[in-house]
Amino acid sequence: MEITAKVRFQSTRQRIESYGGSKYLIYLTVGEEDDFMSILRVLLSKYLGVPPGRIAFLGKNYQGDFIFSIT
């Protein structure tokens, strides 16, 4: 299963919102220059109920959204 995530950095709190199908809007308290990928995987794993090891980053699409594969 593939999911698409828009990430908003420098938010006041970390949260995930679903906006249709397999699309998510994720708010992170860290900046883009920080090591945010591990935080992003942990948040997604808690929200989706899968271990972080089953979430793989595939890349970005042309709109700058992050694409993940859940196995």
Side-chain angles (χ1 to χ4, degrees), residues 30-43:
V30 297
E32 193 168 0
E33 63 279 348
D34 297 329
D35 183 31
F36 67 91
M37 193 57 71
S38 60
I39 297 169
L40 188 58
R41 288 177 66 190
V42 168
L43 277 176

Side-chain angles (χ1 to χ4, degrees), residues 5-64:
K6 287 187 180 287
V7 179
R8 302 289 184 229
F9 297 99
Q10 302 291 337
S11 180
T12 56
R13 65 184 179 126
Q14 296 183 144
R15 66 183 191 270
I16 297 178
E17 297 176 359
S18 176
Y19 66 96
S22 61
K23 296 180 182 180
Y24 298 94
L25 180 58
I26 303 172
Y27 296 90
L28 295 177
T29 56
V30 297
E32 193 168 0
E33 63 279 348
D34 297 329
D35 183 31
F36 67 91
M37 193 57 71
S38 60
I39 297 169
L40 188 58
R41 288 177 66 190
V42 168
L43 277 176
L44 278 172
S45 71
K46 287 181 182 179
Y47 187 82
L48 298 173
V50 297
R54 293 183 52 195
I55 300 173
F57 175 65
L58 298 179
K60 286 185 166 184
N61 64 9
Y62 65 93
Q63 296 170 335

